[in-house]
Amino acid sequence: LAFLSVLAGVLFDYKYIAFSNEKSANEGNVKYLGEIINHQWAKSSEFEKMFRFYIKKYLTPGVEYFSFLRKYTELEITKMFIKYPKYFPVFSSCNTGMKWCGNCPKCLFVYATLYPFLSKKQLLKIFGRDIFENRGLLPAMKGLLGQGKPKPFECVGTKKETRLAFELCLKKALQQAQSKPISYLLKKFKKRK
């Protein structure tokens, strides 16, 4: 996409190519043979810096490639996004081809970042279910949190910010515990803290 966007910039005389790659993309997923493997490397600041140099040296000095959201984490982006509820019915980040499958690490991560800031009704309208009740996502949750499993090969936040998101989710759930039971995955998270 980076190369195609530069080609489009040259063909249509665009100066700026703005991507929305966030700070969280810099964290790798797993260490293998002494190297950090990062599923999101092409979204990382390292790639962006190298690619900007490559464009200027070998392709064209007339195109500026940058990431508009580079300085923000996924949680910070979520806090910005929730100010625009008109987009809740149409946005998706699930990689299965469905709007929200509710069974993958990506759905779990996005749900966990939205949960602290939205009502249960809003979450159900977006996802169609309480994803924290999906028992099959326990291994994914452990991977997202860095609890003995590799971080899933998905475009998700860092382990640190995932822990923060789950902390915020648990805090909200505990505040509502008298009126609503705590979901399965949040109970498991509470036990592992």
Side-chain angles (χ1 to χ4, degrees), residues 1-2 19-29 38-51 65-74 77 93 95 106 109-110 151 153-157 161:
L1 288 177
F19 272 68
S20 296
N21 299 325
E22 74 292 335
K23 185 189 319 185
S24 306
N26 293 330
E27 182 182 81
N29 298 73
N38 184 356
H39 166 73
Q40 302 184 85
W41 186 77
K43 292 172 60 178
S44 71
S45 54
E46 179 184 28
F47 171 84
E48 185 175 321
K49 184 179 177 184
M50 292 170 69
F51 191 64
Y65 176 93
F66 63 97
S67 298
F68 186 70
L69 300 175
R70 174 65 60 209
K71 64 183 179 179
Y72 301 107
T73 67
E74 295 273 8
I77 294 166
S93 192
N95 295 323
K106 186 74 179 259
F109 176 77
V110 174
K151 180 178 160 187
F153 277 71
E154 299 274 357
C155 297
V156 294
E161 80 179 290

mmCIF file of all heavy atoms in Angstrom, residues 1-2 19-29 38-51 65-74 77 93 95 106 109-110 151 153-157 161:
data_model
loop_
_atom_site.group_PDB
_atom_site.id
_atom_site.type_symbol
_atom_site.label_atom_id
_atom_site.label_comp_id
_atom_site.label_asym_id
_atom_site.label_seq_id
_atom_site.Cartn_x
_atom_site.Cartn_y
_atom_site.Cartn_z
ATOM 1 N N LEU A 1 0.824 -1.202 0.000
ATOM 2 C CA LEU A 1 0.000 0.000 0.000
ATOM 3 C C LEU A 1 0.863 1.257 0.000
ATOM 4 O O LEU A 1 0.502 2.254 -0.605
ATOM 5 C CB LEU A 1 -0.945 0.005 1.214
ATOM 6 C CG LEU A 1 -2.112 -0.982 1.163
ATOM 7 C CD1 LEU A 1 -2.910 -0.925 2.444
ATOM 8 C CD2 LEU A 1 -2.997 -0.718 -0.034
ATOM 9 N N ALA A 2 1.984 1.190 0.707
ATOM 10 C CA ALA A 2 2.868 2.349 0.737
ATOM 11 C C ALA A 2 3.346 2.693 -0.675
ATOM 12 O O ALA A 2 3.271 3.849 -1.104
ATOM 13 C CB ALA A 2 4.047 2.074 1.671
ATOM 14 N N PHE A 19 -1.072 8.180 6.146
ATOM 15 C CA PHE A 19 -1.558 6.914 6.684
ATOM 16 C C PHE A 19 -2.010 7.141 8.124
ATOM 17 O O PHE A 19 -1.734 8.191 8.707
ATOM 18 C CB PHE A 19 -0.453 5.852 6.631
ATOM 19 C CG PHE A 19 -0.409 5.099 5.331
ATOM 20 C CD1 PHE A 19 -0.038 5.725 4.158
ATOM 21 C CD2 PHE A 19 -0.753 3.758 5.283
ATOM 22 C CE1 PHE A 19 -0.008 5.043 2.961
ATOM 23 C CE2 PHE A 19 -0.724 3.058 4.087
ATOM 24 C CZ PHE A 19 -0.351 3.700 2.924
ATOM 25 N N SER A 20 -2.688 6.184 8.670
ATOM 26 C CA SER A 20 -3.157 6.280 10.060
ATOM 27 C C SER A 20 -2.520 5.183 10.900
ATOM 28 O O SER A 20 -3.206 4.376 11.525
ATOM 29 C CB SER A 20 -4.687 6.180 10.106
ATOM 30 O OG SER A 20 -5.255 7.277 9.435
ATOM 31 N N ASN A 21 -1.210 5.136 10.899
ATOM 32 C CA ASN A 21 -0.471 4.140 11.671
ATOM 33 C C ASN A 21 -0.118 4.726 13.025
ATOM 34 O O ASN A 21 0.473 5.793 13.115
ATOM 35 C CB ASN A 21 0.790 3.717 10.922
ATOM 36 C CG ASN A 21 0.455 3.094 9.588
ATOM 37 O OD1 ASN A 21 -0.542 2.413 9.447
ATOM 38 N ND2 ASN A 21 1.291 3.332 8.601
ATOM 39 N N GLU A 22 -0.474 4.001 14.077
ATOM 40 C CA GLU A 22 -0.338 4.493 15.443
ATOM 41 C C GLU A 22 0.949 4.021 16.103
ATOM 42 O O GLU A 22 1.631 3.130 15.597
ATOM 43 C CB GLU A 22 -1.553 4.058 16.267
ATOM 44 C CG GLU A 22 -1.579 2.597 16.631
ATOM 45 C CD GLU A 22 -1.788 1.645 15.466
ATOM 46 O OE1 GLU A 22 -2.368 2.040 14.448
ATOM 47 O OE2 GLU A 22 -1.364 0.482 15.584
ATOM 48 N N LYS A 23 1.252 4.592 17.242
ATOM 49 C CA LYS A 23 2.455 4.274 18.007
ATOM 50 C C LYS A 23 2.505 2.787 18.383
ATOM 51 O O LYS A 23 3.572 2.186 18.422
ATOM 52 C CB LYS A 23 2.466 5.130 19.275
ATOM 53 C CG LYS A 23 3.709 4.995 20.098
ATOM 54 C CD LYS A 23 3.649 5.665 21.464
ATOM 55 C CE LYS A 23 2.993 7.000 21.524
ATOM 56 N NZ LYS A 23 3.066 7.643 22.845
ATOM 57 N N SER A 24 1.366 2.181 18.651
ATOM 58 C CA SER A 24 1.298 0.788 19.102
ATOM 59 C C SER A 24 1.884 -0.199 18.097
ATOM 60 O O SER A 24 2.283 -1.300 18.472
ATOM 61 C CB SER A 24 -0.156 0.399 19.389
ATOM 62 O OG SER A 24 -0.748 1.306 20.282
ATOM 63 N N ALA A 25 1.942 0.191 16.830
ATOM 64 C CA ALA A 25 2.455 -0.709 15.789
ATOM 65 C C ALA A 25 3.949 -0.985 15.942
ATOM 66 O O ALA A 25 4.473 -1.882 15.298
ATOM 67 C CB ALA A 25 2.182 -0.118 14.402
ATOM 68 N N ASN A 26 4.624 -0.251 16.804
ATOM 69 C CA ASN A 26 6.065 -0.443 16.981
ATOM 70 C C ASN A 26 6.420 -1.689 17.783
ATOM 71 O O ASN A 26 7.557 -2.148 17.728
ATOM 72 C CB ASN A 26 6.688 0.786 17.651
ATOM 73 C CG ASN A 26 6.640 2.004 16.762
ATOM 74 O OD1 ASN A 26 6.677 1.905 15.541
ATOM 75 N ND2 ASN A 26 6.526 3.168 17.369
ATOM 76 N N GLU A 27 5.474 -2.232 18.544
ATOM 77 C CA GLU A 27 5.776 -3.401 19.379
ATOM 78 C C GLU A 27 5.681 -4.693 18.578
ATOM 79 O O GLU A 27 4.696 -4.919 17.875
ATOM 80 C CB GLU A 27 4.802 -3.482 20.570
ATOM 81 C CG GLU A 27 5.110 -4.649 21.492
ATOM 82 C CD GLU A 27 4.125 -4.756 22.644
ATOM 83 O OE1 GLU A 27 3.016 -5.300 22.430
ATOM 84 O OE2 GLU A 27 4.468 -4.287 23.739
ATOM 85 N N GLY A 28 6.683 -5.536 18.712
ATOM 86 C CA GLY A 28 6.688 -6.828 18.026
ATOM 87 C C GLY A 28 5.767 -7.842 18.692
ATOM 88 O O GLY A 28 5.236 -7.614 19.772
ATOM 89 N N ASN A 29 5.630 -8.998 18.028
ATOM 90 C CA ASN A 29 4.746 -10.047 18.525
ATOM 91 C C ASN A 29 5.480 -11.140 19.278
ATOM 92 O O ASN A 29 4.996 -11.634 20.285
ATOM 93 C CB ASN A 29 3.974 -10.683 17.358
ATOM 94 C CG ASN A 29 3.102 -9.690 16.658
ATOM 95 O OD1 ASN A 29 3.582 -8.828 15.924
ATOM 96 N ND2 ASN A 29 1.805 -9.762 16.893
ATOM 97 N N ASN A 38 7.577 -8.615 14.031
ATOM 98 C CA ASN A 38 6.481 -7.656 14.208
ATOM 99 C C ASN A 38 5.519 -7.766 13.043
ATOM 100 O O ASN A 38 5.830 -7.355 11.923
ATOM 101 C CB ASN A 38 7.035 -6.224 14.321
ATOM 102 C CG ASN A 38 5.959 -5.201 14.595
ATOM 103 O OD1 ASN A 38 4.779 -5.507 14.629
ATOM 104 N ND2 ASN A 38 6.370 -3.958 14.778
ATOM 105 N N HIS A 39 4.356 -8.311 13.317
ATOM 106 C CA HIS A 39 3.300 -8.450 12.315
ATOM 107 C C HIS A 39 2.967 -7.102 11.674
ATOM 108 O O HIS A 39 2.563 -7.031 10.518
ATOM 109 C CB HIS A 39 2.062 -9.060 12.988
ATOM 110 C CG HIS A 39 0.813 -8.968 12.192
ATOM 111 N ND1 HIS A 39 0.592 -9.740 11.084
ATOM 112 C CD2 HIS A 39 -0.283 -8.189 12.329
ATOM 113 C CE1 HIS A 39 -0.607 -9.447 10.581
ATOM 114 N NE2 HIS A 39 -1.140 -8.500 11.323
ATOM 115 N N GLN A 40 3.130 -6.024 12.431
ATOM 116 C CA GLN A 40 2.765 -4.692 11.965
ATOM 117 C C GLN A 40 3.983 -3.865 11.515
ATOM 118 O O GLN A 40 3.921 -2.646 11.489
ATOM 119 C CB GLN A 40 2.048 -3.921 13.073
ATOM 120 C CG GLN A 40 0.798 -4.594 13.589
ATOM 121 C CD GLN A 40 0.094 -3.722 14.598
ATOM 122 O OE1 GLN A 40 -0.686 -2.858 14.230
ATOM 123 N NE2 GLN A 40 0.364 -3.935 15.880
ATOM 124 N N TRP A 41 5.081 -4.522 11.160
ATOM 125 C CA TRP A 41 6.290 -3.771 10.877
ATOM 126 C C TRP A 41 6.087 -2.695 9.813
ATOM 127 O O TRP A 41 6.609 -1.586 9.920
ATOM 128 C CB TRP A 41 7.444 -4.709 10.476
ATOM 129 C CG TRP A 41 8.716 -3.940 10.322
ATOM 130 C CD1 TRP A 41 9.525 -3.479 11.330
ATOM 131 C CD2 TRP A 41 9.304 -3.485 9.101
ATOM 132 N NE1 TRP A 41 10.590 -2.768 10.808
ATOM 133 C CE2 TRP A 41 10.474 -2.763 9.436
ATOM 134 C CE3 TRP A 41 8.965 -3.623 7.772
ATOM 135 C CZ2 TRP A 41 11.293 -2.192 8.484
ATOM 136 C CZ3 TRP A 41 9.786 -3.044 6.812
ATOM 137 C CH2 TRP A 41 10.930 -2.338 7.184
ATOM 138 N N ALA A 42 5.302 -2.986 8.791
ATOM 139 C CA ALA A 42 5.078 -2.009 7.723
ATOM 140 C C ALA A 42 4.246 -0.818 8.204
ATOM 141 O O ALA A 42 4.067 0.156 7.470
ATOM 142 C CB ALA A 42 4.415 -2.665 6.516
ATOM 143 N N LYS A 43 3.760 -0.901 9.443
ATOM 144 C CA LYS A 43 3.050 0.225 10.047
ATOM 145 C C LYS A 43 3.903 0.905 11.114
ATOM 146 O O LYS A 43 3.481 1.881 11.719
ATOM 147 C CB LYS A 43 1.753 -0.272 10.693
ATOM 148 C CG LYS A 43 0.707 -0.750 9.722
ATOM 149 C CD LYS A 43 -0.471 -1.405 10.425
ATOM 150 C CE LYS A 43 -1.182 -0.491 11.366
ATOM 151 N NZ LYS A 43 -2.342 -1.118 12.009
ATOM 152 N N SER A 44 5.107 0.417 11.343
ATOM 153 C CA SER A 44 5.950 0.926 12.428
ATOM 154 C C SER A 44 6.633 2.235 12.047
ATOM 155 O O SER A 44 6.771 2.578 10.869
ATOM 156 C CB SER A 44 7.013 -0.113 12.788
ATOM 157 O OG SER A 44 7.988 -0.203 11.766
ATOM 158 N N SER A 45 7.094 2.959 13.071
ATOM 159 C CA SER A 45 7.831 4.195 12.810
ATOM 160 C C SER A 45 9.172 3.886 12.135
ATOM 161 O O SER A 45 9.668 4.686 11.336
ATOM 162 C CB SER A 45 8.029 4.999 14.096
ATOM 163 O OG SER A 45 8.636 4.227 15.087
ATOM 164 N N GLU A 46 9.753 2.714 12.430
ATOM 165 C CA GLU A 46 11.000 2.312 11.767
ATOM 166 C C GLU A 46 10.788 2.205 10.252
ATOM 167 O O GLU A 46 11.566 2.739 9.465
ATOM 168 C CB GLU A 46 11.497 0.977 12.332
ATOM 169 C CG GLU A 46 12.765 0.482 11.668
ATOM 170 C CD GLU A 46 13.203 -0.907 12.156
ATOM 171 O OE1 GLU A 46 12.340 -1.699 12.576
ATOM 172 O OE2 GLU A 46 14.405 -1.171 12.089
ATOM 173 N N PHE A 47 9.720 1.512 9.849
ATOM 174 C CA PHE A 47 9.413 1.394 8.420
ATOM 175 C C PHE A 47 9.151 2.769 7.818
ATOM 176 O O PHE A 47 9.647 3.096 6.738
ATOM 177 C CB PHE A 47 8.201 0.488 8.184
ATOM 178 C CG PHE A 47 7.733 0.511 6.758
ATOM 179 C CD1 PHE A 47 8.326 -0.291 5.810
ATOM 180 C CD2 PHE A 47 6.708 1.365 6.355
ATOM 181 C CE1 PHE A 47 7.915 -0.252 4.472
ATOM 182 C CE2 PHE A 47 6.296 1.417 5.033
ATOM 183 C CZ PHE A 47 6.898 0.602 4.087
ATOM 184 N N GLU A 48 8.348 3.567 8.512
ATOM 185 C CA GLU A 48 7.984 4.880 7.983
ATOM 186 C C GLU A 48 9.227 5.729 7.712
ATOM 187 O O GLU A 48 9.354 6.344 6.650
ATOM 188 C CB GLU A 48 7.067 5.599 8.968
ATOM 189 C CG GLU A 48 6.548 6.919 8.452
ATOM 190 C CD GLU A 48 5.542 7.542 9.404
ATOM 191 O OE1 GLU A 48 4.714 6.814 9.993
ATOM 192 O OE2 GLU A 48 5.600 8.770 9.549
ATOM 193 N N LYS A 49 10.161 5.724 8.640
ATOM 194 C CA LYS A 49 11.398 6.495 8.472
ATOM 195 C C LYS A 49 12.201 5.961 7.282
ATOM 196 O O LYS A 49 12.681 6.736 6.437
ATOM 197 C CB LYS A 49 12.226 6.416 9.758
ATOM 198 C CG LYS A 49 13.475 7.238 9.732
ATOM 199 C CD LYS A 49 14.223 7.117 11.050
ATOM 200 C CE LYS A 49 15.519 7.880 11.010
ATOM 201 N NZ LYS A 49 16.307 7.705 12.224
ATOM 202 N N MET A 50 12.359 4.642 7.205
ATOM 203 C CA MET A 50 13.112 4.038 6.104
ATOM 204 C C MET A 50 12.430 4.297 4.757
ATOM 205 O O MET A 50 13.093 4.584 3.758
ATOM 206 C CB MET A 50 13.270 2.532 6.341
ATOM 207 C CG MET A 50 14.171 2.188 7.506
ATOM 208 S SD MET A 50 14.118 0.431 7.937
ATOM 209 C CE MET A 50 14.926 -0.294 6.529
ATOM 210 N N PHE A 51 11.098 4.187 4.746
ATOM 211 C CA PHE A 51 10.365 4.367 3.501
ATOM 212 C C PHE A 51 10.419 5.827 3.036
ATOM 213 O O PHE A 51 10.558 6.095 1.837
ATOM 214 C CB PHE A 51 8.917 3.890 3.659
ATOM 215 C CG PHE A 51 8.183 3.801 2.361
ATOM 216 C CD1 PHE A 51 8.566 2.909 1.376
ATOM 217 C CD2 PHE A 51 7.105 4.636 2.109
ATOM 218 C CE1 PHE A 51 7.895 2.831 0.165
ATOM 219 C CE2 PHE A 51 6.422 4.570 0.897
ATOM 220 C CZ PHE A 51 6.814 3.673 -0.072
ATOM 221 N N TYR A 65 5.315 11.197 2.724
ATOM 222 C CA TYR A 65 4.630 10.020 3.288
ATOM 223 C C TYR A 65 4.742 10.121 4.813
ATOM 224 O O TYR A 65 5.829 10.261 5.359
ATOM 225 C CB TYR A 65 5.325 8.763 2.781
ATOM 226 C CG TYR A 65 4.809 7.461 3.344
ATOM 227 C CD1 TYR A 65 3.825 6.741 2.677
ATOM 228 C CD2 TYR A 65 5.316 6.936 4.529
ATOM 229 C CE1 TYR A 65 3.365 5.534 3.171
ATOM 230 C CE2 TYR A 65 4.850 5.738 5.033
ATOM 231 C CZ TYR A 65 3.876 5.042 4.357
ATOM 232 O OH TYR A 65 3.426 3.849 4.849
ATOM 233 N N PHE A 66 3.616 10.069 5.506
ATOM 234 C CA PHE A 66 3.641 10.163 6.965
ATOM 235 C C PHE A 66 2.404 9.502 7.561
ATOM 236 O O PHE A 66 1.432 9.200 6.856
ATOM 237 C CB PHE A 66 3.719 11.625 7.416
ATOM 238 C CG PHE A 66 2.528 12.450 7.008
ATOM 239 C CD1 PHE A 66 1.477 12.673 7.887
ATOM 240 C CD2 PHE A 66 2.455 13.007 5.738
ATOM 241 C CE1 PHE A 66 0.379 13.432 7.508
ATOM 242 C CE2 PHE A 66 1.359 13.761 5.341
ATOM 243 C CZ PHE A 66 0.322 13.978 6.236
ATOM 244 N N SER A 67 2.449 9.287 8.847
ATOM 245 C CA SER A 67 1.325 8.700 9.575
ATOM 246 C C SER A 67 0.738 9.754 10.494
ATOM 247 O O SER A 67 1.388 10.209 11.434
ATOM 248 C CB SER A 67 1.779 7.490 10.386
ATOM 249 O OG SER A 67 2.268 6.490 9.536
ATOM 250 N N PHE A 68 -0.466 10.113 10.228
ATOM 251 C CA PHE A 68 -1.140 11.175 10.962
ATOM 252 C C PHE A 68 -1.330 10.837 12.443
ATOM 253 O O PHE A 68 -1.284 11.708 13.296
ATOM 254 C CB PHE A 68 -2.484 11.471 10.298
ATOM 255 C CG PHE A 68 -3.200 12.651 10.885
ATOM 256 C CD1 PHE A 68 -2.717 13.941 10.688
ATOM 257 C CD2 PHE A 68 -4.347 12.482 11.626
ATOM 258 C CE1 PHE A 68 -3.365 15.032 11.230
ATOM 259 C CE2 PHE A 68 -5.003 13.562 12.179
ATOM 260 C CZ PHE A 68 -4.511 14.844 11.979
ATOM 261 N N LEU A 69 -1.512 9.559 12.749
ATOM 262 C CA LEU A 69 -1.789 9.144 14.137
ATOM 263 C C LEU A 69 -0.558 8.591 14.849
ATOM 264 O O LEU A 69 -0.669 8.001 15.913
ATOM 265 C CB LEU A 69 -2.901 8.084 14.154
ATOM 266 C CG LEU A 69 -4.239 8.518 13.577
ATOM 267 C CD1 LEU A 69 -5.219 7.350 13.544
ATOM 268 C CD2 LEU A 69 -4.824 9.675 14.368
ATOM 269 N N ARG A 70 0.627 8.777 14.294
ATOM 270 C CA ARG A 70 1.843 8.151 14.817
ATOM 271 C C ARG A 70 2.059 8.370 16.313
ATOM 272 O O ARG A 70 2.512 7.499 17.020
ATOM 273 C CB ARG A 70 3.060 8.684 14.044
ATOM 274 C CG ARG A 70 4.403 8.245 14.571
ATOM 275 C CD ARG A 70 4.655 6.752 14.472
ATOM 276 N NE ARG A 70 4.596 6.303 13.111
ATOM 277 C CZ ARG A 70 4.230 5.061 12.771
ATOM 278 N NH1 ARG A 70 3.914 4.165 13.684
ATOM 279 N NH2 ARG A 70 4.188 4.692 11.512
ATOM 280 N N LYS A 71 1.739 9.515 16.839
ATOM 281 C CA LYS A 71 2.048 9.802 18.240
ATOM 282 C C LYS A 71 1.020 9.236 19.214
ATOM 283 O O LYS A 71 1.200 9.326 20.425
ATOM 284 C CB LYS A 71 2.199 11.312 18.450
ATOM 285 C CG LYS A 71 0.952 12.120 18.213
ATOM 286 C CD LYS A 71 1.250 13.597 18.391
ATOM 287 C CE LYS A 71 -0.009 14.425 18.131
ATOM 288 N NZ LYS A 71 0.246 15.852 18.311
ATOM 289 N N TYR A 72 -0.043 8.605 18.703
ATOM 290 C CA TYR A 72 -1.118 8.120 19.573
ATOM 291 C C TYR A 72 -1.107 6.602 19.733
ATOM 292 O O TYR A 72 -0.770 5.881 18.798
ATOM 293 C CB TYR A 72 -2.486 8.536 19.024
ATOM 294 C CG TYR A 72 -2.654 10.025 18.895
ATOM 295 C CD1 TYR A 72 -2.640 10.631 17.641
ATOM 296 C CD2 TYR A 72 -2.809 10.830 20.016
ATOM 297 C CE1 TYR A 72 -2.790 12.009 17.512
ATOM 298 C CE2 TYR A 72 -2.958 12.206 19.894
ATOM 299 C CZ TYR A 72 -2.945 12.784 18.646
ATOM 300 O OH TYR A 72 -3.086 14.140 18.518
ATOM 301 N N THR A 73 -1.546 6.138 20.913
ATOM 302 C CA THR A 73 -1.768 4.711 21.138
ATOM 303 C C THR A 73 -3.187 4.357 20.694
ATOM 304 O O THR A 73 -4.004 5.251 20.436
ATOM 305 C CB THR A 73 -1.609 4.357 22.629
ATOM 306 O OG1 THR A 73 -2.671 4.989 23.364
ATOM 307 C CG2 THR A 73 -0.253 4.762 23.173
ATOM 308 N N GLU A 74 -3.471 3.078 20.643
ATOM 309 C CA GLU A 74 -4.823 2.620 20.280
ATOM 310 C C GLU A 74 -5.870 3.167 21.254
ATOM 311 O O GLU A 74 -6.960 3.553 20.844
ATOM 312 C CB GLU A 74 -4.878 1.089 20.267
ATOM 313 C CG GLU A 74 -4.023 0.446 19.204
ATOM 314 C CD GLU A 74 -4.722 0.290 17.871
ATOM 315 O OE1 GLU A 74 -5.838 0.802 17.693
ATOM 316 O OE2 GLU A 74 -4.128 -0.354 17.002
ATOM 317 N N ILE A 77 -6.589 6.748 20.495
ATOM 318 C CA ILE A 77 -7.390 6.833 19.277
ATOM 319 C C ILE A 77 -8.838 6.463 19.577
ATOM 320 O O ILE A 77 -9.770 7.107 19.086
ATOM 321 C CB ILE A 77 -6.789 5.947 18.165
ATOM 322 C CG1 ILE A 77 -5.432 6.499 17.748
ATOM 323 C CG2 ILE A 77 -7.728 5.841 16.967
ATOM 324 C CD1 ILE A 77 -4.582 5.559 16.921
ATOM 325 N N SER A 93 -13.093 -3.634 12.221
ATOM 326 C CA SER A 93 -11.656 -3.869 12.218
ATOM 327 C C SER A 93 -11.353 -5.364 12.228
ATOM 328 O O SER A 93 -10.215 -5.767 12.290
ATOM 329 C CB SER A 93 -11.036 -3.181 13.447
ATOM 330 O OG SER A 93 -9.655 -3.148 13.353
ATOM 331 N N ASN A 95 -10.716 -9.040 10.892
ATOM 332 C CA ASN A 95 -10.056 -9.512 9.674
ATOM 333 C C ASN A 95 -10.699 -10.745 9.046
ATOM 334 O O ASN A 95 -10.174 -11.278 8.076
ATOM 335 C CB ASN A 95 -8.582 -9.815 9.966
ATOM 336 C CG ASN A 95 -7.817 -8.567 10.342
ATOM 337 O OD1 ASN A 95 -8.064 -7.499 9.803
ATOM 338 N ND2 ASN A 95 -6.903 -8.680 11.278
ATOM 339 N N LYS A 106 -8.565 -9.736 17.407
ATOM 340 C CA LYS A 106 -8.818 -8.351 16.992
ATOM 341 C C LYS A 106 -10.153 -7.859 17.543
ATOM 342 O O LYS A 106 -10.235 -6.744 18.070
ATOM 343 C CB LYS A 106 -8.796 -8.276 15.461
ATOM 344 C CG LYS A 106 -8.893 -6.877 14.904
ATOM 345 C CD LYS A 106 -7.580 -6.133 15.092
ATOM 346 C CE LYS A 106 -7.640 -4.746 14.530
ATOM 347 N NZ LYS A 106 -7.027 -4.578 13.261
ATOM 348 N N PHE A 109 -9.701 -7.289 21.285
ATOM 349 C CA PHE A 109 -8.936 -6.088 21.592
ATOM 350 C C PHE A 109 -9.777 -4.829 21.394
ATOM 351 O O PHE A 109 -9.811 -3.950 22.258
ATOM 352 C CB PHE A 109 -7.660 -6.009 20.747
ATOM 353 C CG PHE A 109 -6.909 -4.736 20.982
ATOM 354 C CD1 PHE A 109 -6.150 -4.570 22.133
ATOM 355 C CD2 PHE A 109 -6.991 -3.684 20.083
ATOM 356 C CE1 PHE A 109 -5.479 -3.378 22.382
ATOM 357 C CE2 PHE A 109 -6.322 -2.493 20.317
ATOM 358 C CZ PHE A 109 -5.567 -2.337 21.474
ATOM 359 N N VAL A 110 -10.456 -4.718 20.268
ATOM 360 C CA VAL A 110 -11.265 -3.524 19.999
ATOM 361 C C VAL A 110 -12.386 -3.410 21.037
ATOM 362 O O VAL A 110 -12.657 -2.325 21.554
ATOM 363 C CB VAL A 110 -11.824 -3.541 18.555
ATOM 364 C CG1 VAL A 110 -12.775 -2.370 18.322
ATOM 365 C CG2 VAL A 110 -10.683 -3.507 17.543
ATOM 366 N N LYS A 151 2.008 -12.536 21.556
ATOM 367 C CA LYS A 151 1.007 -11.550 21.144
ATOM 368 C C LYS A 151 0.454 -11.997 19.792
ATOM 369 O O LYS A 151 1.226 -12.361 18.894
ATOM 370 C CB LYS A 151 1.686 -10.187 21.035
ATOM 371 C CG LYS A 151 0.780 -9.058 20.629
ATOM 372 C CD LYS A 151 1.584 -7.760 20.599
ATOM 373 C CE LYS A 151 0.906 -6.720 19.779
ATOM 374 N NZ LYS A 151 1.745 -5.542 19.614
ATOM 375 N N PHE A 153 -0.819 -12.377 16.030
ATOM 376 C CA PHE A 153 -0.392 -11.732 14.792
ATOM 377 C C PHE A 153 -1.591 -11.000 14.190
ATOM 378 O O PHE A 153 -2.152 -11.392 13.167
ATOM 379 C CB PHE A 153 0.192 -12.762 13.819
ATOM 380 C CG PHE A 153 1.634 -13.074 14.116
ATOM 381 C CD1 PHE A 153 1.986 -13.807 15.236
ATOM 382 C CD2 PHE A 153 2.635 -12.607 13.285
ATOM 383 C CE1 PHE A 153 3.310 -14.079 15.521
ATOM 384 C CE2 PHE A 153 3.972 -12.870 13.559
ATOM 385 C CZ PHE A 153 4.314 -13.608 14.688
ATOM 386 N N GLU A 154 -1.968 -9.948 14.849
ATOM 387 C CA GLU A 154 -3.081 -9.085 14.469
ATOM 388 C C GLU A 154 -2.629 -7.647 14.690
ATOM 389 O O GLU A 154 -1.682 -7.397 15.433
ATOM 390 C CB GLU A 154 -4.307 -9.352 15.354
ATOM 391 C CG GLU A 154 -4.868 -10.746 15.290
ATOM 392 C CD GLU A 154 -5.845 -10.946 14.160
ATOM 393 O OE1 GLU A 154 -6.148 -9.978 13.438
ATOM 394 O OE2 GLU A 154 -6.306 -12.071 13.984
ATOM 395 N N CYS A 155 -3.315 -6.708 14.093
ATOM 396 C CA CYS A 155 -3.021 -5.294 14.329
ATOM 397 C C CYS A 155 -3.753 -4.868 15.593
ATOM 398 O O CYS A 155 -4.912 -4.442 15.548
ATOM 399 C CB CYS A 155 -3.439 -4.465 13.126
ATOM 400 S SG CYS A 155 -2.511 -4.892 11.639
ATOM 401 N N VAL A 156 -3.078 -5.038 16.697
ATOM 402 C CA VAL A 156 -3.638 -4.720 18.017
ATOM 403 C C VAL A 156 -2.634 -3.857 18.768
ATOM 404 O O VAL A 156 -1.506 -3.666 18.337
ATOM 405 C CB VAL A 156 -3.953 -6.007 18.818
ATOM 406 C CG1 VAL A 156 -5.075 -6.797 18.156
ATOM 407 C CG2 VAL A 156 -2.716 -6.877 18.985
ATOM 408 N N GLY A 157 -3.055 -3.363 19.926
ATOM 409 C CA GLY A 157 -2.188 -2.508 20.725
ATOM 410 C C GLY A 157 -1.091 -3.285 21.426
ATOM 411 O O GLY A 157 -0.978 -4.503 21.311
ATOM 412 N N GLU A 161 -0.685 -1.486 26.874
ATOM 413 C CA GLU A 161 -1.953 -0.774 26.744
ATOM 414 C C GLU A 161 -3.149 -1.727 26.782
ATOM 415 O O GLU A 161 -4.232 -1.332 27.217
ATOM 416 C CB GLU A 161 -1.971 0.144 25.529
ATOM 417 C CG GLU A 161 -2.237 -0.490 24.209
ATOM 418 C CD GLU A 161 -2.260 0.537 23.090
ATOM 419 O OE1 GLU A 161 -3.190 1.354 23.023
ATOM 420 O OE2 GLU A 161 -1.334 0.506 22.276
#
